[in-house]
Every structure is written in C-alpha cells, then in structure tokens.
C-alpha cells in the first residue's frame, strides 16, 4: 500500500439554480459539495468521477482541514489505483446527503426552515443529474471514468445509461443494476427503526433531540450486512467484552454487541436520520432499466462505454450474481466488459478493505481506457 | 523443417500471433493472464476480449489492460451474438473442455473464423509410451498421472482432420509443431502441437 496522500484538501460548494427531479418536483438553489485531486490536463481527457457509497461524502482522498483522511484515500493519490499524477479526480456528496450537498437537513430557501420531510423523494437518477451539472460547470466534456462501490456503483451505472457519450469507462464495484427484495428489506428495517424513535417526530427534530436510538439501530443492522459470517467470527467470535463470564443481564456481554453499539453511536454524530430515509429510498427505487427499455441488454445495447465490474466472494448484500447479470447482458450485445469476482472474507466491506487486489485492476483498466481515447 | 520463434516461450502463441491480421476483433478462450492478447493489442492493434476461469489470472489480464472476464468457456460463448468476433482462439484448452464439439461449433457461431491449438495425442512418443509401458501414456506433452490430468478428451491430428471433413469446416491453415520447429511430413506422428485456422 502507498502512504502518499494528496495533502490537505478543502470541500468546495457549487450552487445551481434548480434541479428537476424524477418525481416531477423541482428543487431550487441546490448546493453540490465536491472535492478535486490532481490536475485536469490540457485536452480535459483525464477526469474521473468517484462516487461514494451510502453514508460517504465528498471527502474521498487527502486530509481534510480537521485532520481526517478521505474514505478512499488508500485508492486515490500519487501512484495509487486512481493516480493523481495522471488523473484529475472529482468526488461529490450525493443529493439528499448531509455533508454539504442539499438534503433534508438543508434550509428550504422559501421557508428558512430545514426541509425535513418536505424534501422531495429523490432517486439515484437525480443524484447523477446533479453530478452532471457539476461536471458541466467544471467544463469537462467527457469523463475518462466513473467509479464507485455499492451505491457508488449504482451511480456509475446510471451515468453510463443516462449520459453514455460522456462516459468512457465505468467501474461498478460490489454493486447492482437494481435493488433486490433482500436489499430493500434491510433498508426498510433501518427506516422503521428511525421512524419508530419518538424523537424522530415526523422528521422535525432539527434543533431538538435527534432520533439517536433509531438511527443507531439502523446503523447496527447495516453493519451486520456489510460484514460476513467469516469476518464476524474471526473478528469477535463469542469473545466477551471485558469480563470472564456472561452477566445474566441485558447489558453488553459479547464483543460483537459492544462493537455494534459503538458503531451505531458513532454514526449518530455524523449522519442525519432523514438523509438515511431519503438515500435508502433512492437505492430501493434504483433499477437502471426503469423507463429505458425492456431489458438490461437493451439499455446498454449501443454503448461505447467500457466496463470493469468487480464483486467479492463473501459479499452477501450485493452478491456476485447481480454483477454477473450485468456482465452477461453486456456480453449479449458484444459490449466491452471486464469482470472478476475477487476472493475476500470481508463481506460487502471488501470494496473498502481489499485495496491491493483492486489497485492493479483499476490501473490497467484506466490505462487501457485512456489509450482507447487517443 | 523451419524454425518457429516463440512468444512467451510458446511456439503456438508465435504461430497464432502470425495468423491474426491487424485490427481484428479477437476473443481468446482460456486467455490465462492475457499474454497473447496483450501482445496482439500491442503489435496487431486488435480489439481483444478474453475468458478465463481462474480469478487470479483474470486479475493479471485486466491489470494488463485487456478486457478479460472470469467465467466458464462454454457459458461465455453462449452469451455472445452470432458473428461477434472476427477470430475466436482456443489454445491448448480444447482437450480440457467438457463438450468439445459444442465449443467448436459455438466458436464458429460467434466468430467468423477460429484458431485451435491442441497437443497431438498421436505423436510417436505417446504411442511408444503406451506400447511399452502398457500404462496411460506419460510424456513431456502429456505429463500427468491418470488421476490428475486436466485432459478430458484426447485427440490427434487425424481426428481433427476427420472431424473437420465431417462437419464441413474449411481449413485455411494447418501448422504442425515439434518443439520450436515446424514439421510437415507425417504430422500425425511427428507433430507435438497442431494449430488450425478454420471456418464454416
């Protein structure tokens, strides 16, 4: 692994007058938080849009002003998978988020109050439409690649479907072309946990006590789905937390309980409960064929975009079969697709953990895509 | 006898490298780490795709910049539309496929032409090994014990010629190799590896 970073970075905000949404609603005065790394080359052919997963933000690489490394700092930087000596990287916070881009916790320009549940329901398509406005604003005619894991992969596919002429390469990692019943089910459990918390107060908790218990439970469920039986066994087993015997009470006995509570509690400090509702809904609505044709194959029938699809053996939240459906559809139309199922015990988390495995693949794919542009 | 140069230590690769014309759309079945495809991209500017079962080899192929994917040869072939490629290559893998006729016919469905390279089970050393040991032949070409051989279907030069005739395939080129040399006389006896370029 390479320890070099892109140094201290600042999140910038671009503001747009209005954004038309799939629901038919229009959002006014939309902020889009973004960061960039590396330099855009003279012919503007080296730009890569990196797309974050569910609870990520625009801070993908480098060190923020308050000292935090980016969520994909192991992958983005000089000499890394996304080499900032060669490429110009952009990362935004998604629409509906709570890290600088307009979302339910933002102030409604007309009422002066937070949107809360008056925020319109959004889609992955809406997120991508806002990103497209930012890319236009930055004066980039075509992206060398769009890349992301999990929900980031959904955005990458949406990009390839909505703006094929602007996407030379797409890298969806541990992702899906449509949310499955199981994925929707876990999201619904999370949403119900939040809404069952009295502090949620129909979403009007801003300036008051936040629905910390509900959001924390939602996050605990999420964390279980991001791990694997194997990773939980090896990380916690049945080990007890700071004791030699079970306590015959409902406090923390096991390490795994302690871990989940800790992660749940930590999450409450950095994430907005309403954003959790809106973003999970957007994921659940995601089906890249929606409104685009009879099948996945027809959506990408004439695309010139190259695809690098990756999945992980122990990922049961976004299982390999979902990636394979995409790969087979592309193959049936003789499109350019590379695919590998990487071996990992880390479950869905693997896409953030298995850095070395992905690094060479991404480097080779980007170099090949760059060469194809010339 | 003519000497054949080798590519990555393999004379069949060198022959295939010569047979593939520049700019073609090429599919390599069982592409390994895509050494051959990588070479074809660099030197013949082909549009390359590769299929390989081993994840670690696919990783190296993609790292090389080749669009390879992990999968079973038969399944991958069945996904492609008719005439998707100019050339479909199957090098040293035919004998390991479960349904070789199915694979060959599907190669000719998705490709306008096909190249197959396989070890010749009719080579004299194989015959001698079997004749004198009375056991499953074990030679440099077929180095495996009976229980760990990946080979499922053994074939000879004459077998392939007869199959081609029966199926009505047109053989455009046939090249026979013994080590790094090309052989022409009695190929069914003298060839270690046979390379065929053929079409429907």
């Amino acid at each position: 692994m390479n320890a070099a970073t892109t140094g201290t970075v600042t999140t910038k905000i671009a503001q747009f007058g209005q954004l038309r949404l799939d629901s038919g609603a229009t959002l006014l005065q939309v902020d889009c938080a973004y960061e960039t790394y590396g330099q855009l080359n003279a012919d503007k052919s080296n730009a890569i849009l990196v797309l974050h997963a569910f609870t990520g933000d625009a801070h993908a690489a480098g060190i923020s002003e308050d000292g935090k490394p980016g969520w994909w700092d192991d992958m983005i930087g000089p000499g890394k998978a996304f080499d900032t000596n060669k490429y110009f990287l952009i990362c935004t916070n998604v629409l509906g988020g709570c890290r600088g881009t307009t979302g339910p916790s933002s102030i409604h320009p007309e009422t002066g109050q937070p949107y809360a549940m008056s925020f319109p329901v959004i889609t992955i398509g809406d997120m991508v439409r806002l990103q497209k406005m930012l890319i236009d604003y930055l004066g980039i005619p075509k992206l060398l690649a769009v890349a992301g894991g999990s929900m980031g992969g959904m955005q990458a596919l949406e990009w390839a479907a909505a703006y094929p002429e602007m996407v030379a390469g797409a890298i969806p990692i541990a992702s899906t072309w449509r949310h499955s019943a199981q994925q929707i089910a876990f999201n619904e459990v999370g949403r119900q946990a939040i809404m069952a918390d009295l502090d949620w107060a129909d979403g009007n908790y801003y300036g008051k006590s936040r629905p910390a218990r509900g959001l924390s439970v939602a996050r605990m469920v999420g964390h279980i789905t991001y791990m694997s039986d194997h990773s939980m066994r090896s990380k916690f087993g049945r080990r007890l937390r700071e004791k030699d015997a079970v306590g015959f009470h409902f406090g923390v006995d096991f390490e795994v309980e302690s871990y989940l509570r800790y992660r749940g509690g930590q999450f409450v400090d950095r994430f907005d409960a309403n954003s959790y509702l809106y973003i999970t809904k957007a994921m659940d609505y995601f089906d890249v064929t929606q409104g685009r044709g009879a099948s996945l194959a027809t959506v990408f029938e004439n695309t010139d975009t190259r695809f690098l699809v990756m999945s992980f053996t122990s990922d049961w939240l976004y299982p390999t079969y979902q990636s394979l459906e995409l790969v087979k559809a592309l193959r049936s139309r003789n499109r350019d697709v590379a695919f590998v199922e990487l071996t990992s015990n880390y479950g869905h988390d693997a896409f953030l953990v298995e850095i070395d495995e992905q690094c060479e693949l991404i480097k080779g794919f980007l170099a090949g895509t760059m060469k194809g542009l010339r | 006898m003519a000497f054949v140069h080798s590519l990555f230590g393999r004379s069949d690769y060198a022959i295939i490298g010569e047979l593939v014309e520049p700019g073609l759309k090429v599919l390599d079945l069982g592409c390994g780490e895509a050494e051959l495809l990588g070479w074809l991209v660099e030197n013949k500017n082909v549009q390359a795709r590769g299929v390989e079962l081993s994840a670690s080899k696919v990783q190296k192929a993609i790292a090389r910049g080749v669009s390879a994917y992990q999968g079973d040869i038969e399944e991958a072939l069945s996904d492609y539309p008719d005439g998707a490629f100019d050339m479909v290559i199957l090098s040293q893998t035919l004998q390991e496929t479960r349904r070789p006729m199915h694979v060959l016919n599907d190669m000719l469905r998705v490709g306008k032409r096909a190249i197959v390279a396989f070890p010749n089970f009719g080579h004299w050393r194989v015959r001698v090994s079997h004749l004198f040991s009375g056991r499953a032949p074990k030679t440099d070409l077929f180095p495996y014990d009976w229980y760990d051989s990946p080979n499922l279907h053994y074939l000879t030069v004459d077998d392939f010629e007869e199959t081609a005739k029966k199926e009505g395939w047109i053989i455009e080129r046939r090249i026979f190799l013994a080590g790094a040399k090309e052989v022409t006389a009695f190929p069914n006896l003298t060839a270690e590896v046979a390379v065929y370029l053929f079409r429907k």
Side-chain angles (χ1 to χ4, degrees):
Chain A
M1 216 177 286
N2 192 324
T5 78
T6 52
T8 306
V9 289
T10 317
T11 306
K12 289 166 276 211
I13 304 277
Q15 197 177 71
F16 302 97
Q18 58 173 37
L19 177 66
R20 180 180 51 80
L21 302 174
D22 284 338
S23 65
T26 299
L27 271 174
L28 299 176
Q29 294 177 36
V30 182
D31 284 349
C32 181
Y34 70 101
E35 291 188 4
T36 65
Y37 324 100
Q39 297 296 323
L40 187 62
N41 63 9
D43 58 0
K44 300 178 177 180
S45 63
N46 69 338
I48 298 170
L49 179 64
V50 169
L51 304 151
H52 71 70
F54 177 19
T55 63
D57 54 28
H59 182 44
I63 307 296
S64 65
E65 280 160 337
D66 52 356
K68 292 202 182 75
W71 57 268
W72 230 8
D73 194 50
D74 290 335
M75 295 280 267
I76 302 168
K80 296 181 186 176
F82 297 97
D83 189 345
T84 46
N85 290 331
K86 292 180 183 162
Y87 306 117
F88 177 62
L89 279 292
I90 307 144
C91 183
T92 75
N93 181 213
V94 296
L95 181 69
C98 49
R99 307 280 294 168
T101 294
T102 298
S105 58
S106 305
I107 302 299
H108 192 305
E110 280 161 17
T111 65
Q113 299 295 315
Y115 279 99
M117 298 311 280
S118 75
F119 195 73
V121 170
I122 51 159
T123 64
I124 300 289
D126 295 331
M127 295 174 182
V128 165
R129 205 170 299 117
L130 178 61
Q131 287 158 359
K132 160 79 161 59
M133 289 161 84
L134 179 77
I135 297 303
D136 289 344
Y137 161 82
L138 295 174
I140 295 163
K142 182 169 184 161
L143 293 163
L144 176 67
V146 290
S150 198
M151 189 181 83
M154 297 177 215
Q155 295 164 67
L157 290 180
E158 178 67 23
W159 259 98
Y163 310 106
E165 70 290 343
M166 280 185 71
V167 181
I171 311 178
I173 307 167
S175 190
T176 183
W177 60 278
R178 63 172 177 192
H179 241 210
S180 70
Q182 181 176 279
Q183 287 152 350
I184 295 168
F186 279 117
N187 278 348
E188 175 63 1
V189 171
R191 286 189 294 263
Q192 288 301 326
I194 290 167
M195 293 191 285
D197 187 330
L198 290 178
D199 285 338
W200 179 61
D202 293 325
N204 297 308
Y205 52 79
Y206 298 107
K208 301 175 202 154
S209 176
R210 291 177 300 168
R213 283 162 303 166
L215 183 58
S216 167
V217 169
R219 187 58 171 174
M220 287 165 81
V221 173
H223 265 290
I224 298 167
T225 66
Y226 304 153
M227 290 188 275
S228 70
D229 178 46
H230 185 285
S231 66
M232 288 181 96
R233 249 187 304 146
S234 60
K235 193 167 182 167
F236 314 109
R238 289 181 53 80
R239 263 185 300 119
L240 299 174
R241 176 77 183 166
E242 290 167 355
K243 58 174 74 165
D244 299 323
V246 294
F248 294 94
H249 56 57
F250 289 94
V252 167
D253 280 318
F254 296 98
E255 281 285 0
V256 65
E257 294 172 322
S258 164
Y259 173 82
L260 289 176
R261 288 186 190 197
Y262 169 73
R263 295 308 289 258
Q266 202 189 30
F267 185 63
V268 168
D269 295 332
R270 72 172 177 91
F271 210 78
D272 175 53
N274 286 337
S275 275
Y276 196 106
L277 301 180
Y278 279 92
I279 296 175
T280 55
K281 201 60 165 174
M283 280 192 268
D284 290 350
Y285 280 0
F286 182 63
D287 175 348
V288 79
T289 67
Q290 194 78 53
R292 292 202 170 100
S295 71
L296 186 58
T298 52
V299 172
F300 293 116
E301 195 152 37
N302 299 310
T303 188
D304 288 326
T305 303
R306 305 178 77 216
F307 290 81
L308 170 59
V309 182
M310 285 183 256
S311 66
F312 295 90
T313 48
S314 57
D315 184 351
W316 57 278
L317 185 60
Y318 290 86
T320 293
Y321 83 85
Q322 293 183 315
S323 290
L324 269 179
E325 285 173 350
L326 172 68
V327 170
K328 285 171 84 71
L330 289 165
R331 219 149 56 187
S332 75
R333 294 299 188 270
N334 203 16
R335 300 297 95 190
D336 190 342
V337 55
F339 163 74
V340 65
E341 181 190 41
L342 295 168
T343 303
S344 173
N345 289 324
Y346 286 105
H348 187 54
D349 273 337
F351 84 91
L352 290 170
V353 181
E354 303 285 7
I355 299 303
D356 292 345
E357 294 254 289
Q358 297 173 75
C359 183
E360 293 307 311
L361 296 174
I362 290 171
K363 276 186 181 175
F365 179 79
L366 292 177
T369 308
M370 194 79 180
K371 208 172 138 192
L373 288 181
R374 299 240 161 88
Chain B
M1 271 194 204
F3 279 95
V4 176
H5 72 282
S6 83
L7 210 55
F8 311 104
R10 283 178 58 169
S11 42
D12 59 328
Y13 277 0
I15 295 290
I16 295 168
E18 277 172 34
L19 289 177
V20 175
E21 295 100 351
L24 295 188
K25 274 190 130 172
V26 177
L27 172 66
D28 187 2
L29 302 168
C31 67
E33 298 176 5
E35 297 98 329
L36 176 62
L37 281 178
W39 186 89
L40 288 171
V41 168
E42 275 302 310
N43 295 280
K44 299 277 181 108
N45 195 29
V46 302
Q47 283 188 56
R49 306 276 192 280
V51 186
E52 169 61 47
L53 202 54
S54 148
S56 59
K57 286 179 181 171
V58 172
Q59 264 176 270
K60 294 215 172 74
I62 298 172
R64 214 183 277 276
V66 171
S67 294
Y69 48 78
Q70 188 186 354
D72 171 76
I73 287 175
E74 291 188 32
E75 204 183 310
L77 270 174
S78 69
D79 285 341
Y80 279 114
D82 296 356
F85 294 95
D86 298 306
M87 196 83 95
V88 180
I89 299 168
L90 182 67
S91 190
Q92 306 280 19
T93 312
L94 181 61
Q95 73 281 0
E96 296 177 14
T97 59
R98 214 160 34 81
R99 299 187 294 167
M101 284 312 291
H102 179 82
V103 169
L104 289 167
N105 280 312
D106 233 14
M107 286 172 73
L108 291 172
R109 180 184 65 79
V110 306
K112 297 183 180 80
R113 292 188 293 167
I115 295 176
V116 165
F118 59 87
N120 173 30
F121 203 62
H123 188 263
W124 66 267
R125 258 194 226 102
V126 179
R127 301 192 199 191
V128 166
S129 163
H130 181 59
L131 184 65
F132 287 105
S133 73
R135 297 169 56 186
K138 218 172 139 179
T139 68
D140 290 348
L141 213 51
F142 297 92
Y144 309 101
D145 281 310
W146 65 272
Y147 46 80
D148 67 0
S149 173
N151 299 325
L152 301 174
H153 296 97
Y154 296 94
L155 77 161
T156 70
V157 167
D158 284 357
D159 286 331
F160 189 84
E161 292 279 348
E162 195 185 294
T163 305
K165 195 185 282 175
K166 209 164 70 193
E167 297 288 318
W169 299 333
I170 296 150
I171 297 174
E172 290 187 14
R173 291 284 301 275
R174 43 170 77 73
I175 293 144
F176 305 112
L177 299 167
K181 291 175 199 145
E182 189 177 342
V183 292
T184 47
F186 309 110
N188 200 39
L189 263 181
T190 59
E192 290 175 351
V193 172
V195 183
Y196 282 91
L197 169 60
F198 62 110
R199 62 185 160 85
K200 256 194 284 205

